[in-house]
Amino acid sequence: MGIVRDMADLLMPRRCLMCGRRLTGQEEYACATCLMHLPLTEYHKQEHSHLEKRFWGLFPVEKAVAMFHHDGEWTRRLIYHIKYWGHPDVATFLARTYAKELMEGSSFFEGIDTLVPLPLHWRRQLSRHYNQSHYIALGIKQATGIPIAKHVVKRVKNNPSQTRKKGLERRENVEGIFRLMHPERIAGKHILLIDDVVTTGATLTSCAQELAKAPDVRISILTLAAAAQTPIPALQNDTPETSVFGVPLME
Ligand SMILES: [Zn+2]
């Protein structure tokens, strides 16, 4: 495998998705320097994380963590690779890395029975070809062995892209967009609801409120990235983004 990869590297060098530097044999997707400088949240070390507190009063949340702060060009680039540039395997890699860290440094996964990726609307999934949250869940499953519950909840409304809407507008926009399909699959269980980025938390809240209709369910949250509650400004200008860093978006 090593030789094959070394030869492939000679023919078509693999590059860090964040800084563009050539990757060495052991590195995957991002170089060690970029990974080391990811702005990690360390939420799992807080008794009640800042992220958990965002959901207080909205739905009964047990605990909530995010791998890194979504606060700059580099993390934005990572998320764009995952969401729009056809690299959901990056999400699996990051989630697996994060899950191992959580297992070593905390009891976060203790008592969690099943993983529930936040669903996309079928139309969006069709245009994107994948649900990035499912790929995050895959990484968590690979590290922890916790199973993924399928088709528990469905997205029944395809809310338009929310990147340009403000907080209150977003919350109104996401009401009733999910429907609980199989409550029996999560009844009595502690589920981990998984998403890529949390910004206002409105979409996650809407989904969690629907999941909370299942009998005796307990809900925790895991996301790759957590943005400050005021959305981060667009990189170039305020026009709708059709491309970022010169690469066209797929939807
Ligand atoms: Zn790098």
Side-chain angles (χ1 to χ4, degrees):
M1 182 63 199
I3 294 172
V4 174
R5 178 177 278 187
D6 288 348
M7 284 181 62
D9 275 353
L10 273 178
L11 296 170
M12 206 162 66
R14 298 173 304 128
R15 296 198 174 273
C16 171
L17 296 177
M18 297 171 80
C19 72
R21 195 175 65 73
R22 269 183 82 154
L23 295 179
T24 62
Q26 297 302 312
E27 291 170 339
E28 292 181 84
Y29 303 109
C31 72
T33 311
C34 283
L35 284 181
M36 212 169 67
H37 287 98
L38 261 186
L40 300 176
T41 68
E42 307 282 9
Y43 282 159
H44 60 285
K45 295 180 180 166
Q46 301 169 357
E47 195 189 346
H48 296 289
S49 73
H50 294 313
L51 186 57
E52 180 191 320
K53 287 176 187 170
R54 283 200 210 177
F55 297 114
W56 282 1
L58 296 171
F59 66 92
V61 58
E62 297 274 333
K63 40 193 175 180
V65 292
M67 185 180 189
F68 52 86
H69 295 289
H70 192 32
D71 63 358
E73 183 181 329
W74 300 117
T75 59
R76 195 172 159 86
R77 192 180 279 257
L78 262 188
I79 294 299
Y80 269 98
H81 273 289
I82 291 167
K83 278 179 94 155
Y84 304 114
W85 296 342
H87 289 120
D89 44 335
V90 178
T92 305
F93 163 71
L94 288 173
R96 194 170 57 236
T97 307
Y98 185 41
K100 285 178 190 164
E101 191 195 315
L102 289 178
M103 287 163 78
E104 281 166 19
S106 74
S107 56
F108 181 80
F109 291 111
E110 264 173 36
I112 290 180
D113 300 300
T114 190
L115 312 174
V116 177
L118 191 117
L120 291 180
H121 188 265
W122 67 268
R123 199 171 291 140
R124 184 158 294 180
Q125 180 141 354
L126 205 65
S127 66
R128 191 175 291 173
H129 304 297
Y130 59 86
N131 176 1
Q132 65 277 9
S133 298
H134 178 73
Y135 279 80
I136 299 168
L138 271 182
I140 306 286
K141 184 187 169 191
Q142 287 167 2
T144 63
I146 300 171
I148 301 171
K150 288 187 182 147
H151 311 300
V152 171
V153 64
K154 185 176 171 184
R155 197 165 187 146
V156 290
K157 281 188 210 163
N158 192 13
N159 56 321
S161 175
Q162 301 208 359
T163 45
R164 299 179 68 220
K165 290 194 165 65
K166 300 226 160 29
L168 188 62
E169 218 178 324
R170 288 188 186 207
R171 188 143 295 160
E172 286 164 356
N173 198 28
V174 295
E175 244 166 60
I177 66 170
F178 295 98
R179 188 179 302 148
L180 184 60
M181 305 302 286
H182 288 286
E184 76 285 357
R185 293 183 186 170
I186 56 168
K189 291 186 174 169
H190 185 172
I191 63 171
L192 184 61
L193 178 58
I194 292 171
D195 198 7
D196 50 2
V197 184
V198 54
T199 306
T200 63
T203 308
L204 269 169
T205 296
S206 181
C207 189
Q209 285 172 343
E210 190 64 18
L211 289 164
K213 292 176 183 171
D216 301 320
V217 71
R218 298 165 68 202
I219 302 172
S220 287
I221 302 284
L222 181 147
T223 68
L224 280 185
Q229 278 171 298
T230 35
I232 51 174
L235 283 178
Q236 288 126 355
N237 50 47
D238 199 33
T239 54
E241 291 166 347
T242 53
S243 74
V244 173
F245 310 114
V247 181
L249 299 183
M250 292 204 301
E251 50 163 49

